[in-house]
Every structure is written in structure tokens, then in C-alpha cells.
Amino acid sequence: MAATPASSNPQNQIRPESLQPRYEWRLQELMAVRKNWYSTTKLGTELQKHGFDMDRSSIYRLVKTDRPPKMPLELILALCKILKCKFEDLVVEVEPELALPEPAPKGPRPVVPDIALLATDFFDAEG
């Protein structure tokens, strides 16, 4: 009996998407941290200064997505220049075993103090 090649056996096939690097797109985070921008309006104005005339919905998708669409290198360079960052700040590679299967919930993360905010007898005190 002849041996079957690995490509004909579905259990031995490597899925192409498993070979692609995983990454986090941090445009929205960088806008907030570096420029204190929480909307896409100012980014649109800055992109126009760099020769990119994009409609509001395209800019929104660019900022709010976890996986941005394919884009020209010139646009990535313009984003880095606008935000005064490096490519590695904008796109962060994630190790496959550390990657979460689904994206984390969006929105601000609550700050939880390490110490109690009220004295333990606060509610027992009579005023």
C-alpha cells in the first residue's frame, strides 16, 4: 500500500491562518494616550494634511477595528508620524499561545485601589 501524502490527509494539514503572525492593533489606544483624542474627528483632519482624504466611516473602521483592513504603507507611516510613534507601538505582535481567542471587552478599565476606601467601622459609626 502506498503512503498517502500529508496534503491529502486533512488531519496533518497546517491551516494557513495558523502560520500568520497574530497582532494587536493599537491605534485607538495611541490616539488616547499620545494625543488625548477620544474621537476620530481630529485624526481625519491630520490624515488630510498628509494627503489622505478618507470619509468618516473609513476612519472610524480604521480606529475601532481589532483587525484593520489592508492599507498602504504610506498610511501606516502617516499614522506613525501623526502619533509620534513607531510601527511597533501601533502594531504589537502577540504570541500564539498567549493570544486570547476573542477580543477583550472595549472601554475604559476600572481602577481598583489596593487599600480599603472606607474605615471598617464607617457604617457602624453614629453621627
Side-chain angles (χ1 to χ4, degrees), residues 70-114:
K70 291 182 182 180
M71 65 182 86
L73 183 58
E74 294 83 6
L75 177 57
I76 295 172
L77 292 173
L79 290 170
C80 290
K81 189 176 278 190
I82 291 166
L83 297 171
K84 296 180 175 72
C85 69
K86 296 179 185 175
F87 178 78
E88 295 85 7
D89 300 326
L90 189 59
V91 180
V92 178
E93 188 173 4
V94 178
E95 295 296 325
E97 63 272 3
L98 301 177
L100 298 175
E102 58 186 52
K106 294 192 177 217
R109 296 183 183 122
V111 177
V112 181
D114 293 335

Side-chain angles (χ1 to χ4, degrees), residues 3-127:
T4 58
S7 61
S8 66
N9 185 353
Q11 292 177 346
N12 292 337
Q13 285 184 346
I14 297 174
R15 297 184 318 204
E17 62 270 10
S18 67
L19 299 175
Q20 294 178 351
R22 298 200 44 151
Y23 64 92
E24 289 181 2
W25 179 242
R26 300 225 172 131
L27 177 58
Q28 185 174 14
E29 181 180 333
L30 284 173
M31 286 172 50
V33 171
R34 301 233 176 190
K35 294 286 189 172
N36 205 24
W37 293 346
Y38 296 95
S39 72
T40 58
T41 307
K42 292 180 182 176
L43 180 62
T45 305
E46 290 297 317
L47 284 171
Q48 284 179 345
K49 291 178 185 177
H50 286 83
F52 292 95
D53 190 23
M54 300 171 68
D55 61 19
R56 291 175 55 158
S57 64
S58 296
I59 295 170
Y60 180 85
R61 285 191 308 269
L62 183 67
V63 172
K64 298 293 185 176
T65 186
D66 290 330
R67 302 276 178 194
K70 291 182 182 180
M71 65 182 86
L73 183 58
E74 294 83 6
L75 177 57
I76 295 172
L77 292 173
L79 290 170
C80 290
K81 189 176 278 190
I82 291 166
L83 297 171
K84 296 180 175 72
C85 69
K86 296 179 185 175
F87 178 78
E88 295 85 7
D89 300 326
L90 189 59
V91 180
V92 178
E93 188 173 4
V94 178
E95 295 296 325
E97 63 272 3
L98 301 177
L100 298 175
E102 58 186 52
K106 294 192 177 217
R109 296 183 183 122
V111 177
V112 181
D114 293 335
I115 58 171
L117 296 177
L118 300 173
T120 55
D121 61 345
F122 177 80
F123 291 105
D124 296 332
E126 294 290 324

